[in-house]
Amino acid sequence: MSAALSTLAAFLVAGAPVAFSLIAAGAIYLVWSGAPLSTLSSHLFASLDSAAIMTIPFFVLAAEILARSGATRDMVALVARTAGGNRGNLPIVAVLSCAFFGAICGSSTATAAAIGVVLIPEMVKQGYDKRFCVGLVATAGGLGMLIPPSIPLIVYGVVTDTSIGDLFAAAIVPGLLLTTLLCLAAYVVGRRVPVQDDISEPSFDGASPRRGLFLVVMPVLVLGGIYTGLFTPTEAASVSVLYALLLAFVVYRMPIEQFAQILGSAAATTSIILLIMAGAALVGYAVTAERAPHAVFMWIKEANVDRATLMLILAGCFLIAGMLLEVLSIILIAMPILIPVLVGADIDLVAFGVLLIVNMELAVITPPIGLNLFVISSISKMRVQEVFAGTLPFALTLMVALLGMIGWVLL
């Protein structure tokens, strides 16, 4: 096992992609344990042989279609109109737009990218400090992984064999509360930033709030179908693609040639996610085979750690892990170890899943791996360090939410 962990560490330090680092570590373990290397492919395939995992490529494709068709700009214009879209409300519009787009795509990076492209230039044009703008969107983009449909929650459900519908239902209220907290933080911090009086109101380059109403139907259709039992999560994901295609070709008149580019981009994103899942499952197999979950459970039992202390320790460990690995890898590696620990401590796996995602919202804005930092850095042409500095006031808001979630889970 030490050889596998050393391989994983060496690959990550050398800058190798996370997916290939995990697969290499798993392959080393198979060789070390005497298993034929030919079993590598069967292990990788078995880890992805799940109907629930099919939701991931569908939601990724739906988000890509909406972002490329121009629907996102109309959605932001609709949110701005509804929120009283003057330039003084733009920080709140940014948070609400991230929450709304997150309810469509299920990904923090996709949310940060889609909203950042539209709102960061507009906010800067209206006189807001650029560091404030990039920090706010990078942080609020994390709502994309909490508000259903959430790709990390889907992965968590697959790993822990927990109902994805139950996870989505449990995440709605925390998602709305965190959105409210971030709106308050955006308002308070934004009030300190002077806004020039001689600048015209935001126009979003002629975007149509009326067309944005078409997007309101999408989360209602997807989530409503799941909660009423009309769709399974996998079927709901495929319905989201059909609806996105309908909007793209009928409402936005997207050229058919652009669809090939969208398919290529969505396939690339999905491939990265699934490779990480397969590699992490292989490492998880090694960890389980070495009875690491049992060892951790026995250590906690002998240490006589109470539930509150356990939750704080786990939250701290996840924060540290978020500095080294991306979100899906953390879920896939940690949860097989923690399931017996959580069950033994009488902690509900559904509630813990929502808590974990809030914890991971800090991971996506924590260097050196925080993906939202790199996404917003690329969009804004600012250094990652400056984007991170801009997230600090809002990271404190996430910390408050995290402590409140821990209290909720312990109830």
Side-chain angles (χ1 to χ4, degrees):
M1 186 63 190
S2 59
L5 294 178
S6 299
T7 301
L8 177 60
F11 271 64
L12 290 175
V13 170
V18 172
F20 297 134
S21 302
L22 293 168
I23 292 172
I28 290 295
Y29 177 78
L30 290 177
V31 173
W32 175 83
S33 63
L37 193 56
S38 59
T39 61
L40 175 63
S41 58
S42 61
H43 278 292
L44 294 176
F45 177 79
S47 65
L48 300 177
D49 188 18
S50 167
I53 290 177
M54 285 303 299
T55 58
I56 295 174
F58 284 127
F59 281 130
V60 169
L61 178 57
E64 197 70 36
I65 293 169
L66 293 174
R68 297 288 189 96
S69 66
T72 305
R73 188 172 296 275
D74 288 345
M75 185 207 73
V76 172
L78 174 63
V79 173
R81 174 76 59 86
T82 305
N86 58 68
R87 58 182 177 269
N89 285 344
L90 276 179
I92 295 175
V93 170
V95 176
L96 293 177
S97 297
C98 286
F100 197 94
F101 194 79
I104 294 172
C105 77
S107 164
S108 67
T109 52
T111 299
I115 303 304
V117 167
V118 178
L119 271 172
I120 290 176
E122 188 67 42
M123 292 174 71
V124 172
K125 188 173 75 174
Q126 299 302 328
Y128 286 95
D129 177 68
K130 194 172 184 180
R131 181 180 291 182
F132 163 78
C133 300
V134 296
L136 174 62
V137 175
T139 307
L143 292 170
M145 75 168 76
L146 178 61
I147 297 176
S150 160
I151 290 175
L153 273 179
I154 293 169
V155 174
Y156 177 91
V158 171
V159 173
T160 61
D161 196 24
T162 306
S163 166
I164 293 173
D166 289 347
L167 287 167
F168 282 0
I172 291 177
V173 173
L176 294 176
L177 289 176
L178 184 55
T179 300
T180 303
L181 286 175
L182 285 174
C183 283
L184 291 173
Y187 177 78
V188 171
V189 178
R191 291 281 290 179
R192 300 180 181 180
V193 182
V195 181
Q196 301 175 31
D197 293 330
D198 57 345
I199 297 179
S200 61
E201 293 298 319
S203 63
F204 301 108
D205 296 331
S208 168
R210 182 173 298 177
R211 277 203 311 254
L213 288 171
F214 287 108
L215 271 75
V216 175
V217 178
M218 191 167 180
V220 175
L221 177 66
V222 172
L223 299 179
I226 293 174
Y227 299 142
T228 59
L230 186 61
F231 309 135
T232 66
T234 305
E235 292 166 346
S238 61
V239 168
S240 74
V241 172
L242 293 175
Y243 187 75
L245 285 172
L246 182 67
L247 289 183
F249 290 124
V250 177
V251 177
Y252 292 96
R253 308 290 182 182
M254 186 180 74
I256 189 69
E257 298 81 13
Q258 192 174 347
F259 187 55
Q261 299 175 354
I262 291 173
L263 284 176
S265 179
T269 302
T270 301
S271 298
I272 293 170
I273 294 173
L274 295 185
L275 275 174
I276 290 173
M277 290 184 67
L282 194 58
V283 173
Y285 164 78
V287 168
T288 304
E290 291 297 308
R291 294 177 58 81
H294 177 74
V296 172
F297 175 73
M298 293 305 297
W299 177 80
I300 291 175
K301 185 176 180 180
E302 292 172 3
N304 197 26
V305 176
D306 61 76
R307 295 169 75 237
T309 304
L310 173 63
M311 295 300 293
L312 291 173
I313 291 174
L314 292 179
C317 289
F318 280 125
L319 284 177
I320 295 171
M323 299 178 186
L324 305 173
L325 293 170
E326 53 79 48
V327 172
L328 296 184
S329 299
I330 293 171
I331 295 172
L332 289 160
I333 294 172
M335 288 316 300
I337 299 174
L338 292 178
I339 289 173
V341 175
L342 297 173
V343 172
D346 195 27
I347 294 173
D348 181 62
L349 289 178
V350 172
F352 185 81
V354 179
L355 169 66
L356 174 58
I357 300 305
V358 175
N359 218 149
M360 291 299 96
E361 289 197 46
L362 284 166
V364 297
I365 56 171
T366 304
I369 302 295
L371 294 181
N372 281 19
L373 300 179
F374 291 96
V375 168
I376 296 301
S377 173
S378 174
I379 291 171
S380 64
K381 310 303 179 186
M382 293 182 71
R383 293 185 303 153
V384 171
Q385 296 92 324
E386 293 180 284
V387 180
F388 173 64
T391 65
L392 292 178
F394 309 109
L396 293 175
T397 304
L398 292 181
M399 289 292 294
V400 171
L402 179 61
L403 292 174
M405 283 290 300
I406 291 175
W408 171 64
V409 171
L410 292 175
L411 290 177

